């Protein structure tokens, strides 16, 4: 599995650094990365081959083999893994972030 960062994401990072929003850009980068890794880790748990992850400024795509052949229940688990990861990230910022 490889992780590709889209050129628009790199431009977003540079613009964020220029306008002194680099901390927000880093948080967005790692949130998107962890979200997509959530999908990928659950897919690998079910022996689904993950080909690559592409990261964009406000989202990403985890490319995998055709998971519909594994059945709806496994597809649901893989699909929900990303949003659950994002919710865990949001809860950690809520409970442990600056107050």
């Amino acid at each position: 599995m490889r992780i590709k960062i889209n050129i628009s994401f790199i431009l977003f990072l540079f613009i964020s650094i220029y306008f002194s929003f680099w901390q927000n850009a880093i948080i967005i980068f790692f949130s998107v990365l962890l979200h997509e890794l959530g999908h990928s880790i659950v897919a690998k748990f079910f022996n689904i081959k993950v080909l690559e992850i592409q990261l964009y400024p406000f989202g990403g795509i985890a490319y995998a083999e055709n998971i519909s052949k594994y059945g709806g229940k496994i597809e649901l688990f893989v699909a929900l893994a990303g949003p659950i990861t994002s919710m865990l990230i949001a809860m950690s910022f809520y409970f442990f972030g600056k107050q």
Side-chain angles (χ1 to χ4, degrees):
M1 172 182 65
R2 63 183 181 173
I3 298 174
K4 290 175 58 177
I5 301 174
N6 188 279
I7 188 70
S8 62
F9 206 148
I10 295 169
L11 291 173
F12 169 74
L13 291 174
F14 282 124
I15 290 169
S16 297
I17 291 168
Y18 180 77
F19 288 109
S20 299
F21 294 120
W22 64 271
Q23 294 159 328
N24 294 347
I26 297 299
I27 290 170
I28 291 171
F29 173 81
F30 282 107
S31 295
V32 171
L33 178 63
L34 291 173
H35 175 98
E36 296 306 323
L37 284 174
H39 291 299
S40 300
I41 290 168
V42 172
K44 288 206 176 264
F45 177 79
F46 290 112
N47 295 319
I48 298 170
K49 185 176 181 184
V50 178
L51 306 172
E52 83 177 11
I53 294 175
Q54 285 192 10
L55 301 176
Y56 297 95
F58 297 105
I61 301 172
Y63 290 101
E65 67 176 301
N66 186 5
I67 64 172
S68 63
K69 67 182 179 182
Y70 292 95
K73 186 187 264 187
I74 291 175
E75 190 173 356
L76 178 67
F77 288 141
V78 173
L80 288 177
I84 290 170
T85 303
S86 293
M87 284 190 286
L88 292 172
I89 292 168
M91 287 181 359
S92 68
F93 276 103
Y94 179 78
F95 290 113
F96 303 113
K98 293 181 187 179
Q99 305 246 350

